[in-house]
């Protein structure tokens, strides 16, 4: 723990051998992102255009969070042949008209595509254009795909934010954009730190309200707060914005380097950064230290699921003292992950993509102390006596930033303690 805080590539991230897997996948589809996105953009509505399966997934994933006025729904498009497409479009228009009449608070409507063949046949971008003409300027209608054929569960957020980027207002002003959905509490903490550092103006994407779309332009520098935003980053680059290369703000190390990237771009002296970050780093380290005994030396195997695995493995190895057996990610974006990869110990096997049976074989052979995986794998592995952590929980829980570093360590310590008590 507390290794020197520097980006010291072990063997150059481009040279690190990566095991590529192309087989059966066990991940949720991009519709899952609606569960956290609908809480973030508070006047947006997500209308899934899909089947009963999609409705079921979204309701069971988000069921506990449904309040009196949910901000998502499913327009069920039943089986139709091509001749029925005109009806499907008319039905979609009818559902949207009804929804917007009932819910005048909706300012931004996302039509979210899915994978049933009858939905694939529908051109949702044209539907969005048509509906935009009808409802502008009161409501903006956008579309993206959450289809399981095209997206894993975190890529739904990427597709959603990428759809938003072309609608962002233009600016020539130098500004900082933090990209990726963060819990409000984490966003507020980061906003305070940037303010104390004198970095600004700072905006966040997604915004909390459709009326507060962040401006973007050739003088926008952006920090990714999530590792799965390849499309969004491309869309921002097309608007002239520039990404600041940095590890993700996970753990004290990652958060410090993330803030440092912005501080360097704003030409702040190191002493200013240290004054603002030092007490927070100390607090983060102290809170991680509480779980150090439970975690140090324990072996962890990360299945590919959320794309957060590489920065997570970096945190677990460097700050919690854990041994990473394998860090799998569904998709490895070389540039976006370069700094996190460079900070991973050389011994860590990095794999990209999924071949679930082969990975299960490697995992069973390695007998790790804890496995990070999707819900579908967790139950069978628990039944085999392994301790698991659901990767989706790491997406729903605020884990970024200094104040959350101890909570993140606890998320791993808790299931191992529980298992230890069970076998006592
Ligand atoms: Fe299933 Fe596809 Fe609907 Fe996702 S989008 S719930 S994978 S049918």
């Amino acid at each position: 723990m507390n290794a020197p805080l520097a980006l010291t590539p072990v063997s150059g991230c481009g040279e690190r051998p990566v095991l590529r897997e192309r087989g059966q996948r066990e991940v949720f589809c991009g519709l899952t992102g609606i569960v956290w996105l609908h809480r973030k953009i508070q006047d947006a509505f997500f209308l899934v255009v899909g089947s009963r399966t999609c409705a079921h997934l979204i309701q069971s994933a988000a069921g506990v969070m449904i309040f009196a006025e949910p901000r998502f729904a499913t327009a069920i498009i039943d089986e139709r042949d091509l001749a029925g497409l005109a009806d499907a479009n008319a039905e979609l228009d009818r559902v949207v008209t009804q929804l917007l009449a009932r819910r005048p608070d909706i300012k931004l409507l996302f039509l979210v595509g899915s994978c049933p063949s009858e939905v694939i046949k529908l051109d949702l971008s044209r539907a969005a254009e048509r509906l935009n003409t009808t409802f502008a300027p009161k409501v903006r209608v956008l579309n993206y795909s959450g289809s399981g054929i095209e997206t894993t569960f975190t890529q739904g957020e990427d597709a959603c934010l990428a759809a938003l980027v072309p609608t962002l207002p233009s600016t020539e002003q130098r500004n900082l954009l933090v990209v990726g959905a963060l819990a409000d509490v984490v966003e507020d903490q980061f906003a305070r730190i940037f303010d104390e550092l004198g970095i600004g103006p700072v905006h966040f994407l997604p915004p909390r309200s459709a009326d507060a779309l962040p401006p973007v332009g050739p003088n926008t520098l952006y920090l990714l707060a999530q590792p799965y935003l390849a499309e969004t980053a491309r869309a921002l680059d097309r608007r002239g914005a520039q990404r600041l290369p940095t590890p993700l703000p996970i753990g004290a190390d990652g958060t410090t380097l993330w803030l440092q990237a912005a501080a360097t771009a704003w030409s702040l002296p190191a002493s200013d950064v240290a004054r603002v970050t030092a007490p927070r780093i100390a607090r983060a380290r102290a809170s991680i230290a509480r779980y150090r005994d439970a975690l140090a030396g324990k072996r962890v195997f990360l299945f590919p699921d959320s794309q957060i695995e590489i920065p997570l493995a970096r945190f677990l190895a460097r700050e919690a003292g854990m041994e990473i057996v394998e860090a799998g990610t569904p998709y490895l974006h070389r540039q976006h992950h370069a700094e996190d990869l460079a900070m991973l110990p050389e011994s860590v096997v990095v794999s990209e993509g999924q071949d679930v049976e082969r990975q299960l074989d490697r995992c069973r052979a390695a007998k790790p102390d804890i496995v990070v995986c999707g819900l579908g794998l967790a139950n069978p592995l628990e039944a085999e006596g392994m301790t698991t952590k659901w990767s989706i929980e790491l997406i729903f829980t605020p884990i970024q930033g200094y104040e959350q570093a101890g909570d993140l360590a606890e998320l791993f310590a808790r299931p191992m303690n529980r298992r230890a008590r069970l076998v006592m």
Side-chain angles (χ1 to χ4, degrees), residues 20-346:
R20 285 197 180 72
E21 300 276 38
R22 296 288 179 268
Q24 194 195 329
R25 298 188 306 162
E26 291 267 353
V27 282
F28 282 132
C29 65
L31 296 188
T32 324
I34 295 170
V35 176
W36 61 90
L37 287 167
H38 87 276
R39 286 189 288 167
K40 189 73 208 172
I41 319 175
Q42 289 170 11
D43 46 9
F45 194 97
F46 294 81
L47 184 66
V48 176
V49 184
S51 64
R52 289 192 164 73
T53 314
C54 308
H56 183 70
L57 170 97
I58 257 321
Q59 264 158 29
S60 49
V64 286
M65 299 167 211
I66 293 182
F67 305 108
E69 294 279 37
R71 286 198 302 277
F72 54 86
T74 309
I76 310 249
I77 302 293
D78 289 315
E79 286 193 12
R80 282 159 205 275
D81 53 24
L82 277 171
L85 276 184
D87 289 352
N89 275 307
E91 196 172 307
L92 185 59
D93 290 8
R94 187 186 56 77
V95 170
V96 169
T97 307
Q98 217 173 47
L99 171 73
L100 296 178
R102 220 181 49 226
R103 297 284 301 275
D105 55 309
I106 297 171
K107 303 269 173 49
L108 179 61
L109 174 67
F110 289 102
L111 303 177
V112 189
S114 59
C115 50
S117 54
E118 48 278 10
V119 175
I120 292 174
K121 284 179 225 148
L122 262 181
D123 186 341
L124 284 188
S125 63
R126 289 199 38 203
E129 259 173 49
R130 188 174 66 237
L131 290 162
N132 251 326
T133 320
T134 313
F135 295 103
K138 250 189 98 243
V139 184
R140 186 189 288 277
V141 186
L142 297 174
N143 74 290
Y144 72 88
S145 172
S147 151
I149 299 168
E150 294 163 61
T151 55
T152 60
F153 83 93
T154 47
Q155 280 172 302
E157 178 180 333
D158 188 22
C160 172
L161 299 191
L164 261 180
V165 170
T167 73
L168 302 182
S170 297
T171 182
E172 293 295 316
Q173 193 186 23
R174 180 175 167 80
N175 64 349
L176 179 69
L177 184 62
V178 176
V179 186
L182 291 167
D184 287 354
V185 56
V186 178
E187 196 178 296
D188 291 343
Q189 287 164 9
F190 285 148
R192 257 196 310 277
I193 296 176
F194 287 125
D195 191 44
E196 284 176 41
L197 286 168
I199 293 174
V202 180
H203 300 98
F204 292 83
L205 179 71
R208 294 186 195 183
S209 149
D211 288 334
L213 291 179
V216 66
N219 296 311
T220 299
L221 297 171
Y222 68 94
L223 283 171
L224 292 180
Q226 299 290 1
Y228 41 74
L229 298 172
E231 273 302 310
T232 309
R234 264 196 292 277
L236 286 167
D237 295 348
R238 279 196 292 272
R239 299 280 309 260
Q242 257 184 57
R243 184 178 67 88
L244 295 171
T246 161
L248 266 281
I250 290 177
D253 289 358
T255 303
T256 304
L257 289 166
W258 190 79
L259 293 166
Q260 184 67 59
T264 305
W266 257 256
S267 308
L268 294 181
S271 54
D272 279 18
V273 182
R275 178 180 47 78
V276 171
T277 56
R280 292 175 164 101
I281 294 173
R283 264 203 312 276
R285 295 223 187 283
S287 60
I288 297 167
R290 284 205 289 277
Y291 305 100
R292 176 91 183 160
D293 283 350
L295 299 176
K298 295 288 191 324
R299 300 168 73 242
V300 54
F301 191 109
L302 297 104
F303 276 84
D305 201 55
S306 63
Q307 294 192 47
I308 210 170
E309 292 85 1
I310 303 293
L312 197 58
R314 181 261 299 154
F315 164 77
L316 294 172
R318 285 176 68 105
E319 296 186 56
M322 295 182 82
E323 187 190 325
I324 315 297
V325 180
E326 179 168 332
T329 177
Y331 173 62
L332 185 65
H333 193 297
R334 291 290 182 294
Q335 279 107 39
H336 293 182
H337 278 107
E339 289 74 20
D340 278 306
L341 272 175
M343 293 167 77
L344 264 187
E346 208 168 355

